[in-house]
Amino acid sequence: MNLKTVLILLGLALATIFALVCVLLTRGRSPRSCQHLHPEQEDMEDGQSLVFADLTPEEMLQVVRYLQAKLGVPLVEASRAKPSDNCIASVDLQVPAKAEVLRFLDGGGARPAREALAVLYFGNQADPNVTEYVVGPLPTPVYHRDVTVQKYGGKVPYHRRPTLAVEYKQIGGFLKSQVFPSAPAFMQQVMEYDGANLAVVTAAPRGFQSGDRVTWFVLFQNVSGFFVHPVGLEVLVDHSSLDISQWAVSRVFYNGQYYRDMVQLESAYVQGRISVEKVRKAPWDGDFSSMKPRAPAAALFPVQYEPQGPRYSVRNNHVLFQAWSFAFGMSVSTGLRLFDIRHKGERVAYEISVQEALSVYGSNCPAGMSTRYMDGSFGLGRYTSPLVRGVDCPYLATYVDTHSLSESLRPRKGKASLCIFEQNLGSPLRRHYSNLQSLYYGGLVNSALVVRSIATVGNYDYVWDFIFYQNGAMEGKVQATGYPSSSFLHGDGLRYGNRLWEHTLGTIHTHFVNYKVDLDVGALVQRSRLLEWDWDDSASASFSHQRAASGLPTARARLELPGPFLRGWEGHGGNREW
């Protein structure tokens, strides 16, 4: 190969690299589309979708300043607050009433007032409580109203408040300064405790009767992926008092045995009345729990390519994709949510949103057997994590930053916390190859638009997807990844899960995920029908020797009710389908 050919090839390679870099660098801009818009979609392009838009950082700051000036009580920065202080737990968008929004979107009515929902913890009061205020109108608020009783039917007692990050930090300090020193021999010789080599993970709920605020805390080796490195020690902390100095240990559990407190555990250990299981010390990277690849990739992964740029558009919080249009947002507590979802200009759903992710565990250790995590109480939106280009979402996806105000007096920017991309599904939407009488082929490429966020709540990473298909179907999907929750393996532990490592029990558990689906297909009032299937055997009497040859099932309506859900049904026999 001569020098001229080499230079030409080198020039082509550099031009290709330059073009790819330009494509990647311009993906942060709002993609444009030449697609035809239905008249209703053109209306939404005029900014109507902003009625659902998340609060801006400036709006959040205005709410904080207003509350500081008008409530007449001192408000402490939540990240430094003691249980006996007043603080702002969160500030989020107060979504306007549906009737007001529809009058604005469809009837030419006035734009609803833009308001915020502020959740405050009042610990510095004669009657400590949790209060929710609606504050507005934004961007310059002049009023606030207490909506707590309206929403919950009464005041919310202070012991029901979700735990702030600072309270976990205070509990960690309580364990380190008061609890662990009361068992010096056990902690040094069994736990090899040096003040930093143990991590603490909370269980939930915080008790089993109204008024409780007691929590089991499980100890793990403080290494990468510590969730699967239990050391066998669990401590039940009573942190119900607003005075941190009054916190106390209610029970201790080690290797299958319960103790009154760490003093009793220490006494049993010193007297040799305790069964000790020394856990092999894990390296800092966690060994088997490390996220580092075990082997280098043999080759680069395939990358999706958009030959003419994206076929969807994003403007502010509004998305257009072929016949689809919708608005999106991110709630601090519940995470990703969509509004005003339309197909061919017709609204099919007013709201589709994540509401809650619940996981129920079983174990022969107290924390595991009592755990019922409701991840909305931690904050599915608050713990939405940054998305990594090319791993969490395709390289060419559109990445959207969000802002939230939680446990702080200032908003926080969530970098690339949401992504939008069109995905080739790898199989045809439809196809037919004719080789009878006439020879022809017909087929359509199948693709879908994906809106994704990922919330990392403790050990779990929830991948939330809303998927829009070309045929008018829509799908809500969640994948759970990250690390399993674990208990210390002892006794009959294998009845409650599987062995993950020498002393690690991957505990049995189940997940419940709740969505809000407010359908407006053809009308605002929907009806739900319960169908009961019967088998028609008359058409297959000659095949009576085989039940599998029964006739086709026939459906008949058993129950029809207004509203989006049926809560139960009467009757017996047959198979039921919603």
Side-chain angles (χ1 to χ4, degrees):
M1 185 181 296
N2 58 39
L3 181 60
K4 183 177 180 180
T5 303
V6 171
L7 291 175
I8 292 174
L9 291 175
L10 182 60
L12 289 173
L14 290 173
T16 303
I17 292 171
F18 178 76
L20 287 173
V21 169
C22 288
V23 169
L24 292 175
L25 290 178
T26 56
R27 289 299 300 186
R29 304 171 187 169
S30 297
R32 298 179 180 178
S33 174
C34 297
Q35 59 185 317
H36 171 72
L37 302 183
H38 291 270
E40 293 85 351
Q41 291 175 318
E42 292 174 352
D43 291 340
M44 291 299 291
E45 282 286 280
D46 292 335
Q48 287 186 321
S49 67
L50 293 177
V51 72
F52 304 110
D54 293 339
L55 298 180
T56 65
E58 182 55 34
E59 287 174 327
M60 295 176 188
L61 287 173
Q62 290 290 352
V63 171
V64 170
R65 292 168 187 151
Y66 172 86
L67 293 172
Q68 289 174 322
K70 298 298 183 179
L71 290 184
V73 297
L75 294 176
V76 177
E77 172 85 32
S79 61
R80 300 192 300 269
K82 300 188 295 293
S84 56
D85 288 329
N86 305 320
C87 67
I88 298 174
S90 66
V91 174
D92 206 351
L93 172 71
Q94 171 70 9
V95 179
K98 180 179 179 179
E100 294 182 40
V101 174
L102 293 182
R103 280 195 295 270
F104 168 64
L105 295 180
D106 303 338
R111 180 182 290 270
R114 189 158 169 81
E115 298 175 322
L117 179 66
V119 180
L120 283 86
Y121 293 177
F122 288 117
N124 187 12
Q125 286 190 357
D127 180 23
N129 65 87
V130 179
T131 301
E132 296 191 6
Y133 293 111
V134 169
V135 182
L138 300 177
T140 308
V142 295
Y143 62 79
H144 65 281
R145 63 180 184 272
D146 187 340
V147 296
T148 313
V149 175
Q150 175 187 337
K151 290 181 66 174
Y152 303 106
K155 287 188 176 182
V156 178
Y158 199 55
H159 66 265
R160 293 185 187 174
R161 69 192 186 280
T163 306
L164 299 175
V166 67
E167 189 172 352
Y168 288 122
K169 185 177 180 180
Q170 290 158 353
I171 292 171
F174 167 71
L175 293 171
K176 186 174 181 179
S177 65
Q178 298 184 47
V179 178
F180 297 157
S182 63
F186 175 83
M187 291 302 296
Q188 182 179 5
Q189 297 169 23
V190 179
M191 297 287 108
E192 299 183 17
Y193 182 58
D194 62 7
N197 64 328
L198 294 178
V200 178
V201 174
T202 180
R206 312 196 184 285
F208 293 97
Q209 60 185 9
S210 182
D212 281 354
R213 197 169 179 82
V214 291
T215 306
W216 279 104
F217 289 93
V218 188
L219 275 73
F220 297 83
Q221 293 190 63
N222 189 17
V223 296
S224 178
F226 60 81
F227 301 103
V228 289
H229 291 276
V231 296
L233 180 63
E234 302 183 6
V235 181
L236 181 63
V237 177
D238 182 346
H239 52 117
S240 56
S241 175
L242 303 191
D243 183 353
I244 295 176
S245 67
Q246 298 301 310
W247 289 356
V249 170
S250 298
R251 195 71 65 89
V252 171
F253 178 86
Y254 174 71
N255 192 24
Q257 296 295 320
Y258 288 91
Y259 302 89
R260 184 179 61 253
D261 51 26
M262 292 294 288
V263 174
Q264 187 183 37
L265 173 63
E266 173 79 355
S267 176
Y269 172 70
V270 171
Q271 296 173 33
R273 295 185 291 103
I274 185 173
S275 175
V276 173
E277 283 285 349
K278 290 277 289 187
V279 176
R280 179 161 54 91
K281 190 173 182 179
W284 173 245
D285 69 357
D287 192 15
F288 73 95
S289 64
S290 172
M291 279 290 182
K292 293 180 180 179
R294 299 298 189 267
L300 295 177
F301 288 90
V303 176
Q304 186 168 307
Y305 173 57
E306 296 171 337
Q308 293 180 303
R311 304 196 307 158
Y312 61 90
S313 67
V314 182
R315 180 184 295 180
N316 298 317
N317 67 324
H318 190 241
V319 178
L320 293 175
F321 171 65
Q322 297 183 352
W324 288 102
S325 68
F326 57 89
F328 63 86
M330 184 75 71
S331 164
V332 170
S333 58
T334 61
L336 184 60
R337 54 189 180 185
L338 306 182
F339 294 98
D340 198 32
I341 300 130
R342 304 189 188 201
H343 187 260
K344 295 184 177 179
E346 180 181 358
R347 183 180 298 111
V348 294
Y350 178 76
E351 178 183 354
I352 298 181
S353 56
V354 181
Q355 293 294 302
E356 185 59 270
L358 170 71
S359 50
V360 178
Y361 285 82
S363 172
N364 62 344
C365 294
M369 71 174 67
S370 62
T371 290
R372 312 289 188 261
Y373 285 130
M374 297 184 69
D375 290 331
S377 67
F378 296 96
L380 294 174
R382 179 188 175 209
Y383 286 104
T384 294
S385 56
L387 300 172
V388 176
R389 190 183 296 269
V391 180
D392 295 329
C393 303
Y395 275 101
L396 295 181
T398 297
Y399 292 82
V400 180
D401 301 338
T402 60
H403 296 86
S404 64
L405 194 151
S406 178
E407 304 188 20
S408 174
L409 295 177
R410 299 191 62 82
R412 178 184 65 88
K413 180 177 181 178
K415 185 71 175 175
S417 54
L418 185 151
C419 73
I420 303 168
F421 58 93
E422 185 180 1
Q423 183 175 38
N424 188 312
L425 299 180
S427 61
L429 177 65
R430 72 177 189 203
R431 61 95 66 191
H432 180 67
Y433 180 84
S434 175
N435 56 6
L436 298 176
Q437 297 188 10
S438 58
L439 181 64
Y440 65 87
Y441 168 83
L444 287 176
V445 175
N446 197 10
S447 70
L449 187 79
V450 180
V451 183
R452 173 175 296 167
S453 69
I454 302 179
T456 303
V457 187
N459 56 303
Y460 269 113
D461 295 65
Y462 292 103
V463 182
W464 303 99
D465 286 353
F466 288 116
I467 307 171
F468 297 86
Y469 296 94
Q470 296 178 86
N471 61 0
M474 180 188 171
E475 178 184 5
K477 177 181 176 182
V478 60
Q479 306 170 66
T481 179
Y483 286 97
S485 183
S486 70
S487 290
F488 188 77
L489 179 57
H490 72 92
D492 62 348
L494 293 180
R495 292 180 55 195
Y496 304 92
N498 297 293
R499 184 193 296 269
L500 300 182
W501 202 242
E502 184 181 1
H503 295 289
T504 304
L505 175 70
T507 48
I508 187 171
H509 63 282
T510 186
H511 290 273
F512 300 88
V513 176
N514 296 93
Y515 289 83
K516 179 179 180 180
V517 181
D518 184 356
L519 295 178
D520 281 352
V521 180
L524 295 181
V525 179
Q526 303 296 314
R527 300 185 68 85
S528 300
R529 173 179 291 180
L530 173 67
L531 299 181
E532 187 171 86
W533 297 95
D534 289 332
W535 291 91
D536 181 6
D537 293 331
S538 60
S540 55
S542 60
F543 298 98
S544 59
H545 64 282
Q546 211 173 38
R547 172 63 177 168
S550 295
L552 294 175
T554 58
R556 55 193 176 91
R558 287 275 302 167
L559 186 64
E560 188 168 334
L561 294 173
F565 303 102
L566 291 169
R567 290 179 171 83
W569 63 85
E570 301 286 340
H572 61 277
N575 295 314
R576 298 173 175 84
E577 182 173 298
W578 296 100

